[in-house]
Amino acid sequence: VSEPDGFRDFVVGRSPSLVRSAWLLTGSEAMAQDLVQTALAKTWVRWGRVTRQDAPEAYVRRVMFSTYLTWRRRRWRDEVAVAAVPDRADARDAFADADVRQSVHEALRLLPRRQRAVVVLRFFDDLTEAQAAEALDCSVGTVKSQTAKALTKLRACQLLRGVWDEEVSGDPR
Amino acid sequence: VTRVEERLTELLHSSAPPSQGVPFDEVKSRVRRRRAIQRSFAASVATAAVVVATVLVVTSTTGHPQRIAATPSVNLAGTIPWLDAPPPPYSPPVAPAPSTPAADARPCTARDVTAALADANGAGGQAVIYVRFRNISTSTCVLKGYPRVVASAPGHRSVIAADGSFFEQGSPANMRPGHDTYLGVETRSFCSAYPNGAPSGPLYHRLAITLPGGGTVVVNDSSYGFDVACGVSLTRFFVQQAAPAAVHDPLSDLTVALEVPSSVAAGSTLVYVADLSNPTGKPVSLDRCPAYVETGDEGSTLKESYALNCAPVGAIAAHDTVRFEMRLHVTPEVAPGPLMLQWTMSAPFPVSGTATVTVTRPSASTSRMATVTGVLQTVGGPPGAGPLGVSGSVTFVDATTGRHYQATAAADGTFTIAVPPGEYTVTGTSRQFDGGAGLCVADSDVYVTASGWSGVTVSCHRK
């Protein structure tokens, strides 16, 4: 397998960030690695054309999110969407115990995949609505609506009650 | 940006664990695995669909079929599927072990034999002169082991030969009347006494050879001479063995004829048949599986080599013919016009066939559509149940346009479909899986390039 020019540098330089995004999507380091490696392997064969377009990371991210949205659930058997997350005895304490990671992961699991993808692209990868739309191969309007729905759900999520202050969250309680 | 959005951004950044990224070698090996999967599954990919396909029917989401003309094809019914496997090295047939001749007759005495210098040879400062002993008696006897040999020359000291020689060869054997046994007498130009080469000395012409069975024979021949400065040494008695006959390879008895379509579009894969026939009265085993080479005529640069798909065949019966599916990718650069295809079994014998196929320009459909092959199979289930190809329907959904393309999987699960290059989500159904209600899925999305894709596996997971 011949190595495309510059591909190794890209993997070394950019894959840490991609894995972090993938972790937010999948909630697992192993699955994040799997997702990123799959996206990079798919990109490998097109690397020459990708670099000519001068936006390799955008391309890889698009492949990664596309793969994420279309991979079958059976591939990730441990990922099961749930209608509601069971209450914790004291979610604030759990948060105080620096269990942010788990709480965020479980909160994100409440979101449909596309909404989760929009959240990660907009608020972690810091993409504009237009860039997120391109990454997800959908319209800007779809990004806006998916973002709004996701934020509504996250604000109402009991796991994140301690995150939003009263002023911001308008806590329904 | 709202406060909620700011807080969410902070939350995501604080919760996503730091990462070292992915190991580059893992990506590389994944690329290699993807390609290996392509190659391995190509071996079991649909032949039946190709057999009957003079047209490929692609159904759009609207249900309206689009007919896409396919290239002319040969009848692949009953063929052994093409195998995408690297060519193995030639393995010659095992030669029968040479039998050790009997050497149990009575020892020859000096009265039984005549002796004469027969031949000479040499290499690297070592020379050997062979003494031929002929049995002139009326019964069989044997010369074996070392004799006592004394070389002599008038006015010079005699030299006794030592046992053991660089030129040892053969083995002793019973010597029937009129037959011969040999002894090698070696001399050297270099030795510890003369590391830079012995000075030329007198040549010894007389050898007195005392046989193990008794008696001494004398060889005295002025045409040969021994320079004994570095001593004399001997081989054992030996009988010249006939050179082993070249072992016949039954594979060389096979003949080949090619069945090719009338034409093939540049940029597509030529699918044809190699008929291997056994004209002999004995079966020819394919246990030593041969490789073959496909080449185009000069200037085409086409050349591919693979292993024959021997496993399903085992042996070609006497007076029988086995048809092997063959494939050769005709690159887009091949000029339109007649192309002479040569198929040659890669071995030290000529089993070769030729055929001519007309290369056409890539058709519009060829340039727009790419051929994808794969297999629909059930996996899982009871322990020991391996993947099993099943008939059914396979659907490709274009990730960009949402357009659906459908293919029919044959009884063995293989399918072929023509789709525009792009990214596809692939699913399938089979009546043999949950009565057709279960959903079968590909391992991952399929990226179809213009040159096509092979090895798509659509798995129906049994519980």
Side-chain angles (χ1 to χ4, degrees), chain B residues 95-328:
Chain B
S99 57
T100 303
D104 54 357
R106 65 178 178 85
C108 299
T109 66
R111 294 167 60 179
D112 295 322
V113 298
T114 60
L117 300 182
D119 198 5
N121 201 351
Q126 292 163 303
V128 64
I129 295 174
Y130 295 107
V131 182
R132 184 191 64 219
F133 298 85
R134 178 159 297 171
N135 184 356
I136 59 172
S137 74
T138 56
S139 62
T140 299
C141 62
V142 66
L143 289 173
K144 59 183 179 181
Y146 294 102
R148 172 183 165 85
V149 175
V150 177
S152 60
H156 299 281
R157 66 178 178 84
S158 295
V159 175
I160 299 173
D163 295 344
S165 168
F166 172 80
F167 296 96
E168 291 283 6
Q169 60 180 291
S171 57
N174 291 339
M175 181 167 55
R176 288 180 291 156
H179 286 72
D180 299 333
T181 295
Y182 291 84
L183 174 73
V185 181
E186 178 192 337
T187 58
R188 289 171 290 156
S189 304
F190 299 89
C191 54
S192 56
Y194 300 103
N196 297 318
S200 295
L203 292 181
Y204 286 50
H205 294 283
R206 185 176 187 276
L207 294 177
I209 305 170
T210 302
L211 301 182
T216 299
V217 294
V218 174
V219 178
N220 197 348
D221 192 328
S222 59
S223 61
Y224 290 95
F226 301 90
D227 187 337
V228 301
C230 281
V232 179
S233 56
L234 303 175
T235 70
R236 291 184 179 88
F237 286 110
F238 66 92
V239 173
Q240 283 189 324
Q241 305 282 341
V247 179
H248 176 70
D249 191 335
L251 290 171
S252 63
D253 294 331
L254 300 176
T255 61
V256 64
L258 305 181
E259 303 172 45
V260 298
S262 57
S263 64
V264 61
S268 65
T269 298
L270 170 64
V271 180
Y272 65 102
V273 176
D275 300 330
L276 272 183
S277 298
N278 175 10
T280 73
K282 294 181 178 177
V284 173
S285 170
L286 297 181
D287 287 347
R288 292 179 298 108
C289 193
Y292 64 89
V293 180
E294 304 162 286
T295 53
D297 46 12
E298 285 186 29
S300 71
T301 71
L302 296 180
K303 183 176 183 181
E304 293 180 14
S305 185
Y306 301 95
L308 197 66
N309 191 4
C310 298
V313 182
I316 302 179
H319 307 294
D320 196 10
T321 296
V322 176
R323 302 172 72 235
F324 290 86
E325 179 195 351
M326 293 290 147
R327 296 185 183 187
L328 175 66

Side-chain angles (χ1 to χ4, degrees), chain B residues 37-121:
Chain B
I37 288 169
Q38 276 184 274
R39 284 196 299 270
S40 65
F41 275 101
S44 58
V45 156
T47 54
V50 177
V51 173
V52 296
T54 53
V55 291
L56 292 172
V57 178
V58 179
T59 306
S60 70
T61 49
T62 59
H64 297 124
Q66 291 178 297
R67 286 183 177 272
I68 298 168
T71 54
S73 61
V74 293
N75 184 358
L76 297 179
T79 57
I80 303 301
W82 177 70
L83 177 65
D84 187 359
Y90 174 67
S91 170
V94 177
S99 57
T100 303
D104 54 357
R106 65 178 178 85
C108 299
T109 66
R111 294 167 60 179
D112 295 322
V113 298
T114 60
L117 300 182
D119 198 5
N121 201 351

Side-chain angles (χ1 to χ4, degrees), chain A residues 3 8 15-16 19-20 23 33-34 37-38 40 42 63 66 70-72 74-75 101 123-124 163 168, chain B residues 3-5 7-9 13 15-17 19 21-22 24 28 30 423 425 441-445 447 461:
Chain A
E3 186 178 317
R8 182 185 292 266
S15 68
V19 171
R20 295 187 77 207
W23 185 92
Q33 285 274 342
D34 191 17
Q37 287 180 24
T38 298
L40 289 170
K42 288 178 175 180
V63 172
S66 170
T70 54
W71 264 0
R72 298 290 147 186
R74 66 165 187 78
R75 186 179 177 96
R101 192 166 295 163
F123 304 114
F124 181 77
V163 174
V168 169
Chain B
R3 180 77 182 94
V4 170
E5 291 171 350
R7 188 73 186 98
L8 181 57
T9 298
H13 279 275
S15 62
S19 171
V22 299
F24 179 79
K28 191 172 185 176
R30 192 171 289 230
E423 180 184 357
T425 298
V441 294
D443 289 340
S444 63
D445 286 354
Y447 281 73
H461 287 260

Side-chain angles (χ1 to χ4, degrees), chain B residues 57-59 372 392-396 405-409 415-418 427:
Chain B
V57 178
V58 179
T59 306
V372 182
S393 174
V394 177
T395 302
F396 281 57
Y405 301 86
Q406 205 156 40
T408 300
F415 64 85
T416 300
I417 188 172
T427 59

